[in-house]
C-alpha cells in the first residue's frame, strides 16, 4: 500500500471478490499501524573465500567484494592500514559501491599494496566495520635506512642498516652488497650472501670516494636497493681534546695520587688510554710516568718519588687517531707525609630508628688530609 502520509496511523481490512463481482464480508481489522521507516543496523559480509584473508602474487589483480545490508542504506568507507583510501591520492585503487554491496579493485598489485583493508558501513542505526588481510608475494622493499658507516679507515669500513619495512610476505634470507667508486658508473658485487644487517668492507683504496648499496633477498628474488651517501676511505675522526688539569687527591712521602676529568670531546673515537708526564721543580724536561698497564681511568697513583721534592704534572688522551694536546700544567705538589686534618664528612642522614637506637649514614670527606681515613668519631647532644 503506497501513497500514505508518514507518521499517520492507519487500519486495514481485506475483502475478497470473485469473477462475477460478488464480494465477501470484510476480514478482521489489522489494528492501528503507524507509517514510519524501519531502521536496521548495518551488516558486512565478505565472501567465504576471504575467510583467511587474500594472497596474490605480484602482478596479479586484487578484487575484494563485500555484501552490505542495512536501512537506511549505509554510507560505505574503505581504509588501508587504518588510513582512509583517498581516490585522489591512491589512483591505483578503484572502489565501486552500489546498494547492497561494495567492491575494491587493484590492477597489477605489488608489495606496497599488502596490508589490512577495512570497510566501514554507517547509518542512523549504527556502524559496522570489518577487516581483511591482503598479502602480496613479492621481492622485498629496500632495507630501512640510512646506510651508516663506522670504523672508517683508509682500507676498510663497516656498513650498518636495518631490515626492510616490507619483506614481500616472505622471510629475508640474506642481503647483497655492492659498491662503486664515485668516478665510475658501474657497480661491483662485494658480497651476495650477507646474513647480518652489517658488513665489514675491506680492500678499499685510501683517499678514494665510494658509494655502497644494499639489497634484501627473499624466495621471490632481489628487492630494491638502499644507497649510501658518498664516503671517503680515510680516518673520519681526530685526536681527543685536552683532559682537565690534574690535581692531587692523596700525597705521601714517596707518592702522589692524581685525578683529572675526561676531555670534552674524544675526537669521534673512543679514548684508548692516557699519557701522564711529570716534571720536577726548576727542571725543563718532562718525564713520562711509567706504568705496568695503560692508564685507562682518570685517576692514577704516581710512585717512586723523592720526599721533599716538588712536582708538577700534565696529562694527554690518546685514541686511534693519535695523541691529543696536553692538559694545563698542575700546581706544584710537594711530596711529603700528610700533616693536614681531613675535611668534615657531609650529608648526615637517618636511615633507621628504634626506641633505643638511631642508624646514621654520611658521605666521606672530600679531602682526607693526605692519609687514608681510618675511622670516625660520632658526637651527640640532647
Amino acid at each position: 500500500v503506497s501513497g500514505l502520509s508518514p507518521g499517520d496511523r492507519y487500519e486495514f481490512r481485506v475483502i475478497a471478490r470473485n469473477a462475477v463481482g460478488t464480494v465477501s464480508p470484510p476480514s478482521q481489522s489489522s489494528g492501528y499501524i503507524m507509517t514510519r521507516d524501519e531502521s536496521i543496523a548495518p551488516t558486512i559480509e565478505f565472501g567465504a573465500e576471504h575467510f583467511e584473508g587474500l594472497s596474490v602474487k605480484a602482478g596479479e589483480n586484487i578484487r575484494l567484494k563485500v555484501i552490505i545490508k542495512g536501512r537506511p542504506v549505509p554510507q560505505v568507507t574503505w581504509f588501508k592500514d587504518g588510513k582512509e583510501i583517498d581516490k585522489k591520492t591512491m589512483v591505483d585503487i578503484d572502489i565501486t559501491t552500489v546498494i547492497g554491496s561494495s567492491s575494491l579493485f587493484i590492477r597489477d598489485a605489488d608489495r606496497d599494496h599488502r596490508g589490512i583493508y577495512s570497510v566501514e558501513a554507517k547509518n542512523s542505526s549504527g556502524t559496522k566495520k570489518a577487516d581483511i588481510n591482503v598479502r602480496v608475494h613479492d621481492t622485498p622493499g629496500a632495507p630501512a635506512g640510512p646506510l651508516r658507516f663506522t670504523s672508517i679507515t683508509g682500507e676498510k669500513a663497516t656498513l650498518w642498516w636495518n631490515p626492510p619495512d616490507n619483506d614481500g610476505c616472505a622471510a629475508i634470507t640474506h642481503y647483497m652488497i655492492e659498491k662503486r667508486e664515485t668516478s665510475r658508473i658501474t657497480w661491483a658485487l662485494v658480497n651476495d650472501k650477507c646474513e647480518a644487517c652489517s658488513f665489514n668492507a675491506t680492500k678499499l683504496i685510501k683517499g678514494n670516494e665510494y658509494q655502497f648499496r644494499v639489497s634484501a633477498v627473499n624466495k621471490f628474488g632481489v628487492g630494491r636497493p638502499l644507497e649510501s651517501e658518498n664516503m671517503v676511505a680515510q680516518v673520519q675522526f681526530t685526536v681527543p681534546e685536552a683532559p682537565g688539569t690534574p690535581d692531587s687527591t692523596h700525597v705521601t712521602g714517596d707518592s702522589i695520587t692524581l685525578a683529572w676529568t675526561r676531555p670534552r670531546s674524544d675526537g669521534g673515537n673512543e679514548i684508548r688510554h692516557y699519557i701522564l708526564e711529570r716534571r720536577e721543580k726548576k727542571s725543563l724536561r718532562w718525564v713520562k710516568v711509567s706504568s705496568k698497564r695503560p692508564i685507562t681511568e682518570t685517576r692514577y697513583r704516581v710512585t717512586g718519588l723523592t720526599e721533599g721534592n716538588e712536582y708538577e704534572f700534565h696529562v694527554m688522551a690518546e685514541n686511534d687517531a693519535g695523541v691529543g694536546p696536553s692538559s694545563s700544567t698542575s700546581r706544584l705538589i710537594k711530596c711529603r707525609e700528610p700533616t693536614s686534618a681531613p675535611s668534615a664528612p657531609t650529608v648526615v642522614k637517618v636511615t633507621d630508628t628504634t626506641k633505643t637506637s638511631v642508624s646514621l649514614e654520611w658521605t666521606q670527606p672530600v679531602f682526607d688530609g693526605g692519609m687514608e681515613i681510618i675511622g670516625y668519631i660520632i658526637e651527640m647532644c640532647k
Side-chain angles (χ1 to χ4, degrees), residues 256-277:
I256 298 174
T257 301
L258 299 162
W260 58 90
T261 57
R262 286 178 56 88
R264 290 181 299 176
S265 170
D266 61 9
N269 183 251
E270 183 179 357
I271 293 174
R272 295 170 58 186
H273 58 263
Y274 294 93
I275 299 172
L276 183 63
E277 295 182 333

Side-chain angles (χ1 to χ4, degrees), residues 283-349:
S283 174
L284 299 177
R285 187 169 66 92
W286 286 97
V287 178
K288 183 178 178 180
V289 173
S290 61
S291 59
K292 294 181 179 179
R293 297 177 181 177
I295 303 173
T296 57
E297 303 295 330
T298 56
R299 181 184 179 92
Y300 188 74
R301 181 170 178 259
V302 183
T303 59
L305 304 179
T306 303
E307 186 171 5
N309 283 6
E310 291 182 280
Y311 299 89
E312 55 187 357
F313 300 86
H314 66 198
V315 62
M316 295 158 282
E318 182 176 358
N319 64 10
D320 289 335
V323 180
S326 66
S327 67
S328 299
T329 303
S330 72
R331 61 183 176 85
L332 281 168
I333 305 169
K334 192 169 186 177
C335 200
R336 62 184 178 183
E337 293 297 335
T339 57
S340 303
S343 60
T346 58
V347 193
V348 178
K349 61 181 181 180

Side-chain angles (χ1 to χ4, degrees), residues 140 170-175 193-196 216-219 221:
I172 302 297
T173 57
H174 58 276
Y175 296 90
K193 289 292 182 181
C194 179
E195 296 182 356
V217 183
N218 65 10
K219 66 180 182 180

Side-chain angles (χ1 to χ4, degrees), residues 201-249:
T202 59
K203 299 181 181 179
L204 305 180
I205 300 174
K206 186 175 181 179
N208 280 14
E209 187 177 57
Y210 293 91
Q211 186 180 24
F212 287 80
R213 68 182 185 186
V214 178
S215 306
V217 183
N218 65 10
K219 66 180 182 180
F220 301 113
V222 181
R224 293 197 299 258
L226 168 68
E227 295 187 0
S228 73
E229 299 291 335
N230 296 345
M231 179 274 296
V232 179
Q234 63 185 19
V235 174
Q236 304 291 304
F237 43 85
T238 60
V239 297
E241 293 186 5
T245 305
D247 199 6
S248 62
T249 61

Side-chain angles (χ1 to χ4, degrees), residues 71-100:
R71 183 182 293 181
V73 176
Q75 179 181 353
V76 179
T77 307
W78 284 84
F79 300 84
K80 180 180 183 293
D81 296 328
K83 183 179 180 181
E84 183 177 347
I85 296 174
D86 187 350
K87 294 182 179 180
K88 295 181 180 179
T89 57
M90 302 181 182
V91 294
D92 54 345
I93 300 179
D94 184 31
I95 296 174
T96 303
T97 300
V98 297
I99 296 176

